[in-house]
Amino acid sequence: MLTVSHLRCEYKINPIGLDMKSPRLSWKLQSDRRNCVQSAYQIQLSLTESFELIEWDSGKKNSDQSIHVELDHWLPNARTRYYYRIRAWEVAGDESSWSDTAFFEMGLMGSGNAWKADWIKAPFDGETDVSCPRFHRLFDLHKSVTSAKIYVTALGLYELHLNDRRVGQDYFTPGWTSYGKRLQYQVYDVTDLLQNGENILGAYLGDGWYRGHLGWNKEQKIFGTDSALLLELHIRYTDGSEEHILSNPDWKVATSAIRMSDIYMGETYDARMESNWTNAPTENWSPVDVLDYTKDIIVAQENVPVTQIEHLQPIALLTTPQGDRVLDMGQNMVGWVRFSIQGEAGHTVELRHAEILDHEGNFYIENLRGATQCIRYTLKGGELETYEPHFTFQGFRYVKLIGFPDDVHLNDFTGVVLHSDMERTGNFTCSSPLVNQLHHNILWGQKGNFLDVPTDCPQRDERLGWTGDAQMFVRTASYLMNTAPFFTKWLRDLEADQGEDGGIPFFVPDLRSSTSEGWGNTNHSSAAWGDAAVICPWTIYEMYGDVRLLAEQYDSMKRWVSYIHAQGDNPYLWNTGFHFGDWLGLDSKPDSYIGATDKDYVATAFYAYSVSLTHKAAEVLGHADDAAYYDKLHDNIVAAFQDEFVTPSGKIAVPTQTAHVLALQFDLLDSKARNRTIDQLGKLVADAGNHLTTGFVGTPYLNPVLSDTGHHNLAYTLLFQEDYPSWLYQVTQGATTVWEHWDGIREDGSLWSADMNSFNHYAYGAIGEWLYRYVAGINTDEHQPGFRIVHIEPKPGPGLEWVEANLETMYGPVASSWYRRENNQMDVRVTIPANTTGTILLPGAEVQTVLENGKPLDQVSDIHDVQTQGSDVRIVLGSGSYLFIYKVLEADQEVHAQQVESV
Ligand code: BGC
């Protein structure tokens, strides 16, 4: 039976508030038969859920496309909900019934003039009182309502309430964008929150990223000085009429119980000042001021919203040697603590947040620098009261309790984990508990640092969208979760913040003023950081088949490459300007921030890489002239690179692991130099006692390069090292997230300098890509992106007996597992989703010995092709689940036995 399910519009389930002309639809097919390929589909759109009147019908359309389908010759109307359903036919003749119905709803679909409301602000805003203003508007309803939607945004952060109920489940709205150029609005369906008679609509405003503390220079008001609200409530009545409640001078405003709220600093709340919206004493509320501020920069919500994703209970209440009472959440997490307390009115309690305890077991906050992340709560007294913050988040595992009663209970506290609500897509488990913990830590690095913007870290006074970190981690992140909407939004900000000369700021959204000191006279365009402009859209294209995003970012990619081209005298080398180099590499002076790899070398290597990806993008997008130009440019850069950095006899002149890794990964060498470099990389790793010395730039590519160049066992050796420096060192030290430094906590218990020592930095978590792509072997195909062709090439190695991994792709679930059984038996299980093709590599197999579900391969009719490839077997097959069992070739067995001994 064929079914169509998982209907998505622009990656989202039933999105409200889209502003594009041509929303794309995607679906998944399921069949109980193997080899399911779609031959045709039909999409119907209707204004009603019952499909009485069809608004648009594709008819039966012969096509195998099932992701990112645009609706031909159809344009949506603003503020309109479209229901859609899909059915499909498959090549083998099966026909599905209609899918369940899904919907998408358009937003205001206009530029600034679509908004009739005024920006409103508190007249006392900016005075010494830093409390969060509280706005409200009363209105009466006397007719029956069909639907009601709120369109809303803010300068700052907003939290809406309608008739004493919080509107929506989203936090940190309207999100963080390059505020001067782009500001998102959200749409909420509030039909069910309205009531007959009097209604009260209210909003709190917080400073947020817009004008709170941001950057390490203790600056505020980076994007603007006034916080303000812009809101429209559109009510449709059953009689066909419509009424709009707009933010305008009819609103009233007062100070609130949220006495202070700041992303870095935390929140101060006085519950004695709290009141419901319905019984608030409003006599003394002031009329609002209208703010003259543009509406032309407002865009619909692009990213998935930040929500409360999960809730953790503390695992212990400790008393430190210094006598502090400290909760241990058991996990370095990002979000806040919700707590319940009973006590006297006016009593204040405080929560401080830290990532680690120091060597002695004391509460350690020095590495937070200027970010106090402190919650202060003053009780209203009487009943049990429960509180959680509004406009701030903390990065922490430990919470110091100050002023709490002696008899606190663990279940009075809940860790609320907040991040962008991305669909979880990847799972990986294996026979090594330490590697499983590493995978867990990588995942939590993503949770903590994908709070609307990809940040370096979530705790100290930084939390910025560092471009380099994002490009290093983007592919790992896209294995773990669906990151397409997240990066779509961020890349639009990147483009918005791109300089006229094509330069890319160090972080996006950019805070120019905050970075004017500290990095010399430049605050943009470091190699391997600015290259995020090219690497990120290309990766999203590969992982999700998103050609539209690639087309949208193409100009930005080109401008970045042109920027590099224009630097210095030689257009084919990049040997000028400021660069972060192989940031935190270990091969330089002790405690140095910058690794030993020559910065010009790194810059030129990434120049070549970005040009090669721009060339590929030109080909995908059909820009033949550009493709020819970038091809030639790439040749010239490679020639210049070789001239400058490779000796005539083929030796790389920069003797670091990172230099060797980059040359191999980016394919910058002729075959003689390549072979020499492969040998030399092996020696460099051996010379370091089979340990890595790489920093931010080299580490993400290290294990993939080793696996690709015949050093696969060495890659496993590096994975399994447990002493410093290694991925598992921090795991054995009890880490629950990935550290910024290989030696954030040293073997003797001492700490890296507090000026830069985060314990939740995802960059080195880029090893996650190697776990999925090499160890489990799940890979996409750049010519058939989005896993239209699924490559499964498991790479077993010494130290692992089994691996199980799966990935929810745009087409459906991909799975890859391998198990080394007794007597050299290998079991490989794979799942290939409907409407895709799989190519499976069985390592160390001989065609004659392979059984699929007990049958020799030549008797399995669903298999398209089988080939012997060296000591492996390659099988091409259609969708379905397969179990291959075979005896590993003797030669392979011996190698394995030696490997196991040497580990
Ligand atoms: C950040 C990094 C970032 C770096 C620039 C640091 O302060 O935390 O992750 O990439 O600066 O090299």
Side-chain angles (χ1 to χ4, degrees), residues 478-673:
S478 306
Y479 273 103
L480 293 167
M481 299 186 195
N482 185 326
T483 62
F486 183 90
F487 275 103
T488 299
K489 161 179 166 281
W490 186 71
L491 283 167
R492 288 179 185 162
D493 288 315
L494 178 144
E495 184 169 15
D497 281 343
Q498 189 165 14
E500 275 174 24
D501 56 1
I504 301 285
F506 292 157
F507 30 79
V508 173
D510 190 15
L511 346 166
R512 287 283 160 163
S513 57
S514 190
T515 57
S516 51
E517 297 165 25
W519 302 117
N521 57 4
T522 172
N523 55 5
H524 65 90
S525 303
S526 163
W529 269 249
D531 296 284
V534 174
I535 295 170
C536 293
W538 179 256
T539 307
I540 298 299
Y541 163 76
E542 281 202 316
M543 295 298 284
Y544 306 102
D546 198 329
V547 182
R548 183 190 282 181
L549 180 69
L550 194 65
E552 216 181 272
Q553 295 299 130
Y554 181 62
D555 187 51
S556 158
M557 296 164 82
K558 283 173 55 171
R559 294 202 301 121
W560 167 244
V561 165
S562 305
Y563 171 84
I564 306 174
H565 192 257
Q567 303 307 302
D569 296 335
N570 184 337
Y572 307 124
L573 288 177
W574 193 5
N575 52 11
T576 55
F578 171 85
H579 299 286
F580 294 109
D582 188 21
W583 188 246
L584 307 185
L586 297 174
D587 38 17
S588 181
K589 297 184 286 291
D591 294 337
S592 154
Y593 288 141
I594 300 187
T597 308
D598 182 81
K599 289 191 200 168
D600 299 347
Y601 181 102
V602 172
T604 305
F606 271 87
Y607 179 21
Y609 184 46
S610 275
V611 169
S612 75
L613 295 183
T614 309
H615 168 231
K616 287 180 187 185
E619 285 190 329
V620 170
L621 300 171
H623 301 306
D625 291 349
D626 283 6
Y629 167 77
Y630 290 116
D631 200 20
K632 182 88 191 100
L633 177 58
H634 184 254
D635 287 351
N636 289 334
I637 299 166
V638 170
F641 175 89
Q642 293 179 355
D643 216 31
E644 184 82 356
F645 301 112
V646 186
T647 66
S649 55
K651 182 177 164 184
I652 289 193
V654 179
T656 65
Q657 291 179 11
T658 290
H660 288 65
V661 163
L662 294 186
L664 293 167
Q665 172 74 19
F666 298 158
D667 204 8
L668 302 176
L669 305 170
D670 62 24
S671 62
K672 185 170 76 176

Side-chain angles (χ1 to χ4, degrees), residues 456 460 462 466 469 519 529 580 583 696 740 756 761:
D456 55 337
R460 67 180 178 226
E462 197 151 2
W466 279 95
D469 306 43
W519 302 117
W529 269 249
F580 294 109
W583 188 246
F696 274 34
E740 178 172 28
M756 213 186 78
H761 235 75

